Amino acid sequence: MKKQRQKWVCFLAVLTLVLAVLCACGTQPEQEEEPAPVQETEPKGTEASAGNTVDMGDYVLTLPKDCTQQAREDGGLSFLCDGAPVGGVQTLDCPGADQVDWDDLTGYKEVLPTLWSQFLEEGEGTPDYIASPAAGSGADLEVSLVTDQRSESHYLFAAGDQVYDLWFSDPNPLPSYDVSGTVRSFALQSK
């Protein structure tokens, strides 16, 4: 009888401990992450200093704090971290992009030659590429592109007959550069 009582006491002690742990875990309120404060940048198309939110009118995106933007002659932007180019964004005219079903990617191969002609240098030819849905990033398509001169990841955001091409060097020259965070921050603004 004494052994049975000891078993019950041990059982109740373990059960009490388990219930206490479960109650403690269940009563802690969940903390929601607050979005990072939006910092203002210098005027559109100029190099950012302290702020990292890029507002180009058609779109907005957020760069890591140690990166800057630099306007290009073609109207796009280059991204620099510690003075080294790591990526950029450009707007590409793409007749037929509005006919692509970006949800299941039906018809995207037909518009790729138009895109290649706008962002490849003369003499690079047709690149080797792998295209895939850009799951979780908000982009319509992710393209890993390789030519003899470069290797890049492109995130395409379609809006009618325009495609916004957000691209980054591969491999990322700076390990601290947050490519996925920048891609997720990209948002088209209504005109």
Side-chain angles (χ1 to χ4, degrees):
M1 180 89 163
K2 188 174 184 178
K3 284 186 180 184
Q4 191 174 18
R5 183 181 295 167
Q6 285 178 333
K7 285 182 184 179
W8 275 105
V9 169
C10 287
F11 173 76
L12 289 175
V14 169
L15 181 61
T16 304
L17 181 61
V18 169
L19 288 174
V21 169
L22 289 175
C23 289
C25 290
T27 59
Q28 293 179 354
E30 290 185 26
Q31 295 180 354
E32 293 184 22
E33 285 188 33
E34 291 186 28
V38 175
Q39 299 175 348
E40 294 299 319
T41 63
E42 295 180 24
K44 294 179 184 176
T46 64
E47 190 169 324
S49 54
N52 295 318
T53 298
V54 178
D55 184 346
M56 293 298 290
D58 291 349
Y59 61 86
V60 64
L61 63 96
T62 303
L63 297 175
K65 68 180 179 179
D66 57 343
C67 289
T68 59
Q69 59 182 324
Q70 185 175 38
R72 295 192 329 233
E73 290 180 20
D74 65 3
L77 294 174
S78 292
F79 306 146
L80 307 168
C81 285
D82 297 330
V86 294
V89 63
Q90 59 192 339
T91 304
L92 305 171
D93 292 322
C94 189
D98 61 340
Q99 301 300 311
V100 174
D101 184 339
W102 294 101
D103 290 329
D104 71 5
L105 302 182
T106 302
Y108 82 92
K109 289 183 180 181
E110 287 77 17
V111 300
L112 288 181
T114 302
L115 299 175
W116 300 156
S117 70
Q118 293 181 64
F119 65 73
L120 292 176
E121 301 292 326
E122 191 172 317
E124 283 189 279
T126 303
D128 291 327
Y129 71 91
I130 298 173
S132 60
S137 71
D140 293 307
L141 184 67
E142 179 179 353
V143 179
S144 294
L145 175 124
V146 178
T147 70
D148 290 339
Q149 290 83 12
R150 59 185 162 155
S151 177
E152 299 168 341
S153 292
H154 292 257
Y155 297 86
L156 306 178
F157 299 83
D161 280 345
Q162 288 189 319
V163 172
Y164 296 87
D165 175 24
L166 179 60
W167 62 272
F168 302 94
S169 300
D170 281 333
N172 187 354
L174 298 173
S176 65
Y177 188 72
D178 182 15
V179 170
S180 61
T182 301
V183 173
R184 283 191 310 274
S185 77
F186 187 92
L188 290 170
Q189 300 187 83
S190 57
K191 295 182 180 182

